[in-house]
Amino acid sequence: QHREVWLTATWNEILRMSFDCVCISGERETLDLRLAGIELITLCSQVSCKAGIGAATNTARVGTNMEVVGGALRSVRAATTVGDRNQGSLCSTPIEPEVDQLRHIFFDLAFSKLVDFRTYLESFKGYNIHDTESPYVVDSVMTQVLTKLTGELSKLYECCKSDEMSPGSFKLRLDLFVEEDHKYESQLVNLLLVILDNADADKTSRYLNQVQRGCISMLQTMASNSSLQAFKALAKLSGDSMFVARETIRAGNSTDDDDSDDGYGEVLELEASKTVASAFDSGDMSSEAKIIVMCSVLTQYLKIHGLHNESGVNN
């Protein structure tokens, strides 16, 4: 009992110091501390998840299934996989219920720090991020911090996608994006959306920046794992790009004032719409999931164009 109390207190102190490093104010001289804090928090989450940190390592194939037979390469046996072999040995080790309960507590404590960082980013929502007098200015340092965070979150999801962040049961309803019971999967999707809101996007750029690319890539990975929360987020990000041709959007936004916000995030919307559209060509999703995604897309259409259709105006 004394060891458990000491370990919990130590775990909390490690997470507290890591979070303080992430939120430290300063310029480039604080970058290493911020990156270290991000890495340590996500590392604690990986270590304490059910699958363990080994689930995030890349699967290595050893040996070969090819041999020269009659002067030509031919397949003779299946190649062995190191990742699968090690994972099997880890799963065969029984875990006592008390230890598993403590592990779950540690994971919840570590993941809650990521949620706290989401709250930290949301606290600057009312400020203009390009205002030099704002307490929060998106600069190259913060961009590197958010890029590091998206990369570490991707590793964390690989560890948790089959357990803590596995897609839950779904029901046919209009609003899928509800953070029920504070599930880890929903919280992760919300964190990615907040990171996207804080990404320093260039309106004139034809490409996604590192932060946007990392978030979209992770939402795509979650969507391929049949995460309806990720699909709902992608449908929200896509705006009306799924319903209007790209040339039409540009024509509608081409005004004398090129600095208007109408074209903001056009590339991001296009990438998100591609992912949503590709879901219906994928064999990984069930028919029920595809129906729910389609309902989400139709709901998005009604929100954007529903009033125009009622008034008889052609879109």
Side-chain angles (χ1 to χ4, degrees):
Q1 184 70 24
H2 178 70
R3 291 181 179 178
E4 184 175 317
V5 173
W6 174 87
L7 185 58
T8 303
T10 304
W11 188 265
N12 278 316
E13 185 64 17
I14 292 173
L15 292 173
R16 185 194 65 80
M17 293 182 62
S18 301
F19 185 75
D20 290 343
C21 290
V22 175
C23 300
I24 193 173
S25 59
E27 298 183 357
R28 184 163 296 276
E29 70 276 2
T30 65
L31 178 60
D32 290 340
L33 278 176
R34 295 185 185 184
L35 298 182
I38 287 290
E39 188 170 358
L40 191 52
I41 291 176
T42 53
L43 179 62
C44 289
S45 301
Q46 293 178 53
V47 169
S48 57
C49 71
K50 187 173 182 179
I53 193 173
T57 57
N58 295 327
T59 301
R61 302 185 68 85
V62 297
T64 178
N65 61 341
M66 307 292 290
E67 284 187 2
V68 178
V69 178
L73 285 174
R74 299 188 183 278
S75 177
V76 294
R77 61 182 178 277
T80 58
T81 304
V82 174
D84 296 339
R85 185 173 58 197
N86 292 340
Q87 188 175 1
S89 62
L90 291 174
C91 294
S92 61
T93 304
I95 301 177
E96 298 180 359
E98 295 80 4
V99 176
D100 186 67
Q101 183 180 4
L102 185 62
R103 176 204 60 77
H104 179 74
I105 293 174
F106 284 174
F107 178 81
D108 189 69
L109 290 172
F111 193 82
S112 65
K113 290 301 179 183
L114 295 174
V115 178
D116 290 342
F117 186 67
R118 184 191 78 183
T119 305
Y120 171 78
L121 293 176
E122 287 176 333
S123 64
F124 303 105
K125 188 175 182 180
Y127 294 96
N128 182 2
I129 61 176
H130 299 288
D131 186 1
T132 56
E133 296 181 357
S134 170
Y136 175 68
V137 179
V138 178
D139 53 8
S140 60
V141 175
M142 179 55 70
T143 300
Q144 292 182 63
V145 171
L146 296 179
T147 302
K148 176 69 172 179
L149 178 59
T150 53
E152 295 299 322
L153 289 177
S154 179
K155 297 178 184 178
L156 177 61
Y157 182 73
E158 285 298 319
C159 296
C160 304
K161 64 181 180 180
S162 300
D163 296 295
E164 289 86 358
M165 297 181 189
S166 60
S169 58
F170 47 83
K171 297 179 181 179
L172 188 61
R173 58 189 180 187
L174 291 178
D175 191 3
L176 304 177
F177 198 56
V178 179
E179 194 169 347
E180 294 181 346
D181 301 329
H182 303 285
K183 292 182 178 179
Y184 299 120
E185 179 197 17
S186 298
Q187 293 177 345
L188 180 62
V189 171
N190 284 340
L191 175 58
L192 292 174
L193 291 177
V194 173
I195 292 174
L196 280 173
D197 288 339
N198 287 271
D200 187 19
D202 184 6
K203 298 180 184 180
T204 61
S205 177
R206 298 174 57 187
Y207 306 97
L208 300 176
N209 61 27
Q210 289 180 317
V211 179
Q212 291 175 321
R213 175 61 63 185
C215 291
I216 287 293
S217 176
M218 191 166 175
L219 287 172
Q220 290 173 342
T221 301
M222 297 180 70
S224 65
N225 196 34
S226 299
S227 171
L228 296 178
Q229 297 290 342
F231 271 115
K232 179 65 178 180
L234 288 167
K236 179 181 178 182
L237 291 171
S238 63
D240 63 347
S241 61
M242 288 187 293
F243 318 116
V244 182
R246 191 174 184 183
E247 291 76 10
T248 305
I249 297 176
R250 286 182 175 176
N253 293 335
S254 58
T255 60
D256 295 336
D257 185 9
D258 293 336
D259 294 333
S260 62
D261 291 339
D262 294 337
Y264 184 81
E266 178 183 332
V267 179
L268 180 65
E269 292 178 357
L270 182 62
E271 289 294 329
S273 62
K274 286 180 180 179
T275 303
V276 176
S278 64
F280 300 97
D281 295 331
S282 174
D284 298 333
M285 290 188 64
S286 63
S287 299
E288 293 82 1
K290 290 182 179 180
I291 292 175
I292 296 180
V293 173
M294 176 58 72
C295 289
S296 177
V297 173
L298 294 177
T299 302
Q300 181 77 3
Y301 178 85
L302 291 176
K303 287 180 179 179
I304 299 174
H305 302 287
L307 295 177
H308 296 283
N309 290 334
E310 291 176 1
S311 61
V313 179
N314 293 328
N315 294 296

